[in-house]
Amino acid sequence: MSVRRLAEPQFQPQTFTFNEEFAASAQKWIAKYPEGRQQSAIIPLLMLAQEQNGWVTKAAIESICDMLGMPYIRGLEVATFYTQFQLKPVGTHAHIQVCGTTPCMLRGAGELMDVCRAKIHPEPLQLNEEGTLSWEEVECQGACVNAPMIMIFKDTYEDLTPERLAEIIDAFEAGKGETVPPGPQIERHFSAPAGGFTALGDEAAVLKGTSTGVKASASTKEKASAKAPASVKTKTPSKAAPIKAKAEKPALDDKNRPAGIARPDVVDDLKLISGIGPKNEGLLHELGIFTFAQIAAWKKAERTWVDGYLSFHGRIEREDWVKQAKALAKGGVEEYIRVFGKKPV
Ligand code: FES
């Protein structure tokens, strides 16, 4: 856990004022609380100050305390307790908060922090050279079931692997953070069981929203209908959006399946392609894909076919596997660096 202190005096501006828009929001928040309880607005006001300035300065804390009629020490206590408040300048494109509490630690938070050290800065709460990225370790963010996870500003990114985190960091660094969908980064709906239902018998019915999915025997159903008086209405099904059914994988004998080959003596390290980790590499091997040249030759229909087998759809196009594979097939890592301006992840 990082020590939480205010930024050094040389970084602290002398004054703070909410601009017109944020001042109006602050007044709305203050008005929500009964007379004499205005101090309850401390957290939303600190958040507004952070949104306006990018981080929470000492002057902002003191100014907000003045607005709420509370001692500075109370505001300082709140701002230094919650890790949602950044107490020094953080990356302008992303500040990555890696949960390091036990469930996330057991599921690989250490490796995620190694990625941050390698890609951003060896030390937490330090900016990268461009000033666009920073990172820190934080305590539990409440998404333990989908561990390991990170938070970037107000969004969480869950079920992470080091490879996926590296991709997310690249996207934010390139100013394309909005293209990364928050939430689980594997094929699961919110915190539903990864890999499908385990306790409900009829998954298809649950996914369609037509039944609870619990397999009832014929005699149970008969007994239930015999006991239910005609006047008793059955429960209205939930209006919640139905869980999206898993897309069917394309058939193995589909004409769009890219041609596979027998495993050669020397195979290319497909993991050099951003978006291909050990899991996807294993999958591609099972499909007879062992070389960069094979991937470089994929046409659109073939890419769509392979995408049907990935847990996280769309990444072949999004990460441009074909362009990466073409560079690697043509001249290895050197050519990759020439084309993309950086080493393969
Ligand atoms: S332990 Fe990481 S989110 Fe709870």
Side-chain angles (χ1 to χ4, degrees):
M1 179 67 198
S2 318
V3 177
R4 291 182 55 74
R5 295 202 175 98
L6 296 184
E8 294 76 13
Q10 64 267 30
F11 296 117
Q12 296 282 359
Q14 294 306 304
T15 58
F16 171 82
T17 321
F18 277 123
N19 65 28
E20 206 176 311
E21 180 194 346
F22 281 87
S25 297
Q27 288 309 324
K28 273 191 200 158
W29 275 105
I30 294 170
K32 289 184 184 194
Y33 297 97
E35 192 56 38
R37 295 280 186 267
Q38 276 65 38
Q39 296 179 4
S40 303
I42 180 77
I43 287 183
L45 263 60
L46 287 170
M47 284 303 287
L48 287 174
Q50 179 161 288
E51 269 180 51
Q52 179 179 302
N53 277 11
W55 61 289
V56 178
T57 65
K58 181 167 178 274
I61 297 169
E62 292 176 352
S63 166
I64 289 168
C65 286
D66 287 340
M67 287 171 74
L68 300 176
M70 60 197 290
Y72 292 165
I73 185 62
R74 294 282 173 245
L76 286 161
E77 284 168 351
V78 174
T80 55
F81 180 81
Y82 293 105
T83 52
Q84 76 203 68
F85 299 122
Q86 309 309 327
L87 301 176
K88 54 173 63 176
V90 293
T92 50
H93 290 191
H95 176 62
I96 293 156
Q97 296 187 303
V98 185
C99 172
T101 304
T102 312
C104 283
M105 185 52 75
L106 291 173
R107 299 267 296 160
E111 285 86 347
L112 299 187
M113 285 183 245
D114 286 342
V115 172
C116 292
R117 288 186 189 98
K119 290 186 81 74
I120 301 174
H121 195 283
E123 296 298 325
L125 290 168
Q126 301 295 323
L127 298 171
N128 64 348
E129 272 179 29
E130 297 75 22
T132 50
L133 299 169
S134 54
W135 73 278
E136 69 176 317
E137 178 184 351
V138 294
E139 299 294 341
C140 179
Q141 300 289 297
C144 330
V145 71
N146 292 358
M149 58 79 70
I150 59 163
M151 180 174 266
I152 299 179
F153 301 127
K154 290 178 178 172
D155 285 319
T156 59
Y157 301 83
E158 304 148 18
D159 291 311
L160 287 170
T161 59
E163 293 81 17
R164 182 62 188 145
L165 175 58
E167 292 162 4
I168 291 174
I169 291 174
D170 286 345
F172 275 91
E173 188 179 12
K176 294 180 180 165
E178 75 289 348
T179 62
V180 184
Q185 301 295 303
I186 59 171
E187 194 173 288
R188 80 153 99 194
H189 187 75
F190 297 129
S191 54
F197 291 90
T198 54
L200 297 174
D202 188 351
E203 182 175 348
V206 173
L207 292 172
K208 278 188 206 152
T210 54
S211 100
T212 62
V214 178
K215 278 182 180 161
S217 67
S219 60
T220 311
K221 285 182 196 162
E222 280 156 17
K223 277 185 212 158
S225 62
K227 277 184 190 167
S231 59
V232 176
K233 287 192 180 140
T234 49
K235 228 177 170 184
T236 312
S238 162
K239 290 259 167 59
I243 298 169
K244 204 175 156 202
K246 276 185 200 166
E248 287 290 317
K249 288 185 170 55
L252 287 169
D253 58 358
D254 188 289
K255 66 178 170 39
N256 292 318
R257 176 180 176 175
I261 58 172
R263 186 184 181 95
D265 291 340
V266 180
V267 299
D268 288 336
D269 182 2
L270 302 183
K271 298 190 293 307
L272 289 176
I273 294 177
S274 173
I276 301 182
K279 188 175 162 201
N280 280 340
E281 186 182 49
L283 170 77
L284 292 172
H285 287 176
E286 281 174 29
L287 296 172
I289 310 294
F290 295 96
T291 67
F292 298 132
Q294 284 177 282
I295 297 175
W298 286 350
K299 301 283 180 295
K300 173 77 179 144
E302 292 168 322
R303 297 197 296 270
T304 304
W305 187 94
V306 177
D307 187 67
Y309 279 81
L310 300 182
S311 302
F312 196 78
H313 296 302
R315 60 193 318 173
I316 297 178
E317 303 299 332
R318 196 167 49 249
E319 289 141 350
D320 209 341
W321 288 12
V322 168
K323 187 174 177 188
Q324 292 187 67
K326 275 183 184 162
L328 288 162
K330 186 176 172 195
V333 171
E334 259 180 36
E335 176 67 8
Y336 188 101
I337 294 171
R338 194 191 66 75
V339 174
F340 294 99
K342 61 177 186 178
K343 283 192 205 160
V345 178

